[in-house]
Amino acid sequence: ESVGLQVWEDASPLGYRLEEKQERSKRGKPLAIGDITRALARQHRFIIKDKFPYYDMFVSFEDDMLIKADSIVHWMNMTDELYRLRDLAPDTKKNNNYNEEWDEFYGILSKRQLSQLIPGFIRVEALLDPSLLRRKNWEPEGLIPISDRPDLDPELCCWLNASQSASPSRPMYPDSNDLYIWETNVRALGIRKMPLASTFDWVVLQRGRRTMIPEKVQQRWVQIDVEIGDYWTGRNGNFEVGYGRPDTKQFVYLNNQGGWMATRQQLWEWHTDFCQGGFLPPFDSPHYNLDGLDMRNVEYWSGGLNIFTLEHGCNLQRIISLDPDRFAAQLLYHTSNNKQRHLTGAKQIKFSNVNDFLGQLHTVRNNAKAEMARRLEVLRKTQEERQ
């Protein structure tokens, strides 16, 4: 009685076929009107708006993503915890200035900062061809050693429940040592210790969110939102001399999730407070052109890219728990397993095993803990000298 199924026939919207603009212009012909099939990725937003009053939770993912109950339960628990921390947090902090805050990777977070944190996910694929491991972009990142290498439970994210779904290109019970990420890299990430009242302890801050933008007229950087600092993985000189942290909006590190989930309360906050132009329709200018039928890609809509990026987006900050018991529930299985074939030759793409990846982040966490201890010792000595 509680399950319903509705099918939207002819869901492709009508509009100008902008992808044909250059070719038709050469031939002296006006733009044609037709089905905009690429905009199918936009259409779920209309359904969400239509069903908004009737549901507490919304889950929207691309059709080749495996979303298991463990991932949803973990996401809901993490969301509840973030709301709890927000209730306990101060309204503001003394140092929401970028230059002071970006360097902080522990301590108090304000209500505003916590309201911009959401649970994140990382897509994985199961390795099908072991010979790929000999390729350069599959070689382990050796500049950060691995500490406390976990053996993650792949059942939480990636085991299939029905043998009919398995195939040579989709193993039924992949091992965690065969699970690889490709849409982010340890070089770009940072970690943070959550406030003492939190059950999270340490988390990874994923890429995408921006708090500083260039002001073209005066040629300076302008702070547009509160900063949420982290401890960059390269902070201890782990990488090559002169290597700087990659830009937060660099696409190879953005970590497309293949979808998103949100409670009704979150959706309302996103739509009314955080998302430029709103998260749900209508899609009006200036943040949307042609009712959202401009050339925005699939990742913007169905991948949820606009949730965690700035340009015409919500600019929210995704976090991933470093707890090994929770980490596997934050992995999502890309069951097509096709990125490993298509992207192996791409120079900027790096494939990393999930156990190695988390082990390297554990090393960074240990370095951050040591830095915290040094700071506390300096503070203790300073206070003693004042007495």
Side-chain angles (χ1 to χ4, degrees), residues 149-373:
R149 187 182 190 271
D151 185 13
L152 296 173
D153 183 0
E155 183 177 3
L156 297 179
C157 66
C158 306
W159 282 11
L160 306 181
N161 295 329
S163 58
Q164 301 95 310
S165 302
S167 70
S169 63
R170 188 183 297 122
M172 188 161 184
Y173 301 122
D175 187 85
S176 63
N177 289 310
D178 294 326
L179 296 178
Y180 282 77
I181 67 172
W182 72 95
E183 291 176 303
T184 192
N185 189 279
V186 70
R187 286 175 172 262
L189 298 172
I191 65 173
R192 183 180 182 97
K193 181 170 176 54
M194 294 294 285
L196 291 176
S198 172
T199 61
F200 297 160
D201 202 15
W202 290 86
V203 298
V204 180
L205 273 63
Q206 294 175 274
R207 305 299 275 165
R209 183 173 186 267
R210 300 175 69 194
T211 58
M212 298 286 287
I213 59 172
E215 212 290 330
K216 296 181 180 178
V217 176
Q218 300 186 32
Q219 295 184 337
R220 61 190 178 94
W221 287 87
V222 177
Q223 185 174 358
I224 58 170
D225 210 337
V226 295
E227 178 65 17
I228 303 171
D230 63 9
Y231 186 97
W232 176 43
T233 54
R235 194 161 175 153
N236 287 72
N238 290 318
F239 306 129
E240 300 89 343
V241 175
Y243 182 87
R245 188 172 188 176
D247 193 299
T248 187
K249 66 176 183 176
Q250 198 168 336
F251 191 77
V252 294
Y253 301 114
L254 272 186
N255 214 164
N256 169 34
Q257 299 180 167
W260 56 271
M261 58 182 76
T263 64
R264 181 166 54 191
Q265 180 179 355
Q266 281 178 311
L267 276 177
W268 185 247
E269 289 178 356
W270 297 356
H271 183 66
T272 59
D273 191 15
F274 292 112
C275 302
Q276 301 179 65
F279 187 76
L280 301 172
F283 301 116
D284 296 331
S285 20
H287 295 293
Y288 296 97
N289 298 316
L290 302 174
D291 192 30
L293 295 180
D294 51 11
M295 293 298 290
R296 298 172 204 232
N297 57 21
V298 171
E299 288 78 10
Y300 176 90
W301 293 109
S302 61
L305 200 68
N306 73 317
I307 297 173
F308 50 86
T309 55
L310 174 63
E311 286 79 6
H312 311 295
C314 315
N315 207 33
L316 298 172
Q317 176 63 63
R318 296 168 297 161
I319 59 174
I320 297 279
S321 171
L322 281 180
D323 183 345
D325 294 332
R326 293 171 167 169
F327 194 82
Q330 300 163 117
L331 304 176
L332 299 180
Y333 186 16
H334 185 236
T335 61
S336 297
N337 282 322
N338 58 5
K339 299 300 183 183
Q340 55 194 287
R341 298 192 302 273
H342 296 161
L343 299 175
T344 288
K347 293 182 179 180
Q348 288 185 304
I349 301 297
K350 181 74 175 176
F351 289 85
S352 306
N353 173 259
V354 294
N355 291 320
D356 292 343
F357 176 71
L358 183 54
Q360 288 179 313
L361 291 174
H362 285 166
T363 298
V364 177
R365 179 198 58 196
N366 294 341
N367 292 340
K369 285 182 176 180
E371 174 66 20
M372 283 180 61

Side-chain angles (χ1 to χ4, degrees), residues 126-135 138 178 180 340:
L127 177 65
L128 302 177
D129 181 5
S131 69
L132 291 173
L133 296 175
R134 297 194 294 268
R135 300 289 190 94
W138 287 75
D178 294 326
Y180 282 77
Q340 55 194 287

